[in-house]
Structures are given as C-alpha cells and as structure tokens.
Amino acid sequence: MPSASDVVRYLMAHPQFFSDHPALLAEIELPHDSGTAISLVERQVAVLRDRNMDMRHRLSHLLDNARDNDRLFDKTKRLILELLEGRDLGDIIDALHYSFDKEFGIHFTRTLLFGDTASIGGSQARVVSLKEARDNIGALLKSNRSFCGKLGDKEKAYLFGDAAMQVGSAATVPLSNGQTFGLLVIGNRDPKYYRSSMGTLFLAYIAEVLNRLLPRYLPQ
C-alpha cells in the first residue's frame, strides 16, 4: 500500500489529477475548526475567499498611500511656489512657518540663522551667532547631517524655548550653501513621532530649496 508521502509525491507530479477526477473533490473531507467536516471544494473556496480578502486589504492600503502621497505632493508644491514668490527674507520664512503649521500640521517649527541680528533682516527666523549655536547645539551642527529623535534637555530648551517641555521628539536639518548658515527644526509632542529610523526626505527637500533662496538675503 502506498504511503502518505507516496500520495503527496504523486499529486505533486500530477497537479491535473483532480481536474481529471472532479467527482473525488466532493468526496474528500477535511477537518474543520468547528469539529465538523467540509469538502475539499468548500475548503478551497474558503482559502480563496481569505486570499481575496487579504488582497483587497493590501490594495486598499496601497490606494490610501497613493492618496496620501498625492496630498503631500500638492501641499509641497504650494509651499515651493510660495517660497519662490517671496520678495524678501520675511516673506520666505512666513510662508514656511505658515505652511508647516496650517498645511502640514507640524506642532513646532523653528528656523535658526547664523549671523548678526543687525545685518539680517527681520523675520520669524531666530538669528544667533555661530559660536552661540555651537555652544548649545554643537552636536547637531558638527555632523552637518539631518537628525530625528529625542533631543537633550539643553538642546531642546535652546531650540524651542518656552515650548521645550511640550516637545517629545524633533527633526533637524542644516541649512548650507558652501557653509552652514542655519538650521531648520520641527518638533512633535509625541516622543515617538520622529524616530532615528525615520527618513527626513521631505524636510531635506525643503531645506534644499531654502539653501538656494535664503543666501541672497544674507550678508556674504
């Protein structure tokens, strides 16, 4: 008498077997979770139904991501156009902070520019000396790279001031055009919102635009 493994090998070698003997499908019974038995056809239908449901969930997830990406693209496009239309430093920084706040729902936005207050026009950007910045957020500037995660208490207090206690996590990206001239900073109340594993593609993209726009309004 052939063993179970012999039967398995035979069926794998002859996948058309049940197509040639359809009557057998209705006779084969499989144990069910409820304790009753169901035919192989019913079991196959149930498996296909589960697979179909899984595929529908995956498709729905892909469509949701596509819609989110479309909305992000539209918001980003509007922001870039507003930045390009800015007539001075104040216009550009105002457009940036307004969009991050109202369009993107970012809890806290800070723009630091390094230089002398008297020589840099008035705006929402905070102007500080490079030495002062290095004394307080030197680790963020030293790497000249984007950062995501939790800031130290000293860094958080320096960047966010009175709102520091509300900031759970932050993302920063240097502003540079040959040399670093500032820092773009955003914060969220959720400590896990900005994580070290989270990409900063969007923030870096906006920073690249600012890297080309802002230097013309800063002293050389």
Side-chain angles (χ1 to χ4, degrees):
M1 177 179 292
S3 65
S5 59
D6 292 333
V7 175
V8 170
R9 282 195 296 272
Y10 179 83
L11 291 177
M12 292 182 66
H14 302 82
Q16 79 286 356
F17 178 81
F18 285 111
S19 296
D20 296 337
H21 305 83
L24 289 176
L25 291 174
E27 300 299 325
I28 296 176
E29 293 185 346
L30 299 174
H32 192 260
D33 292 340
S34 63
T36 60
I38 61 173
S39 72
L40 181 58
V41 172
E42 292 175 309
R43 181 62 177 271
Q44 288 177 320
V45 169
V47 169
L48 290 174
R49 185 183 298 114
D50 290 342
R51 289 180 179 175
N52 181 55
M53 184 66 69
D54 180 59
M55 292 301 296
R56 290 176 63 183
H57 285 320
R58 292 187 184 185
L59 179 58
S60 177
H61 181 66
L62 289 173
L63 290 174
D64 287 342
N65 284 341
R67 283 190 285 267
D68 289 342
N69 288 335
D70 283 343
R71 285 192 288 267
L72 179 60
F73 173 78
D74 286 339
K75 293 176 183 178
T76 304
K77 181 177 70 174
R78 285 196 296 271
L79 171 57
I80 298 302
L81 291 175
E82 289 170 0
L83 293 177
L84 292 174
E85 291 172 356
R87 293 171 294 181
D88 55 32
L89 180 64
D91 283 350
I92 294 174
I93 301 301
D94 284 348
L96 174 70
H97 284 231
Y98 179 87
S99 179
F100 274 19
D101 179 28
K102 303 300 182 182
E103 291 269 15
F104 293 94
I106 294 173
H107 295 165
F108 307 98
T109 302
R110 300 290 187 271
T111 305
L112 266 66
L113 297 176
F114 305 142
D116 178 34
T117 306
S119 60
I120 298 179
S123 71
Q124 290 190 64
R126 177 181 169 194
V127 181
V128 300
S129 70
L130 182 57
K131 180 182 183 306
E132 178 185 316
R134 285 173 174 164
D135 288 343
N136 289 275
I137 53 172
L140 294 176
L141 300 178
K142 187 176 182 180
S143 66
N144 202 36
R145 299 174 65 181
S146 300
F147 165 85
C148 273
K150 292 184 178 181
L151 295 169
D153 291 340
K154 181 180 178 181
E155 295 170 326
K156 196 161 55 171
Y158 183 75
L159 292 172
F160 294 100
D162 293 340
M165 296 298 293
Q166 302 177 54
V167 178
S169 58
T172 72
V173 61
L175 298 175
S176 177
N177 184 32
Q179 61 182 8
T180 302
F181 64 84
L183 190 71
L184 180 58
V185 185
I186 55 178
N188 192 282
R189 295 184 181 91
D190 184 350
K192 297 181 180 180
Y193 192 83
Y194 296 118
R195 303 180 300 275
S196 59
S197 59
M198 178 181 288
T200 54
L201 182 61
F202 165 72
L203 194 62
Y205 175 64
I206 299 301
E208 284 295 330
V209 176
L210 296 175
N211 289 343
R212 287 157 175 77
L213 292 178
L214 294 183
R216 68 186 67 172
Y217 302 106
L218 303 176
Q220 300 299 317

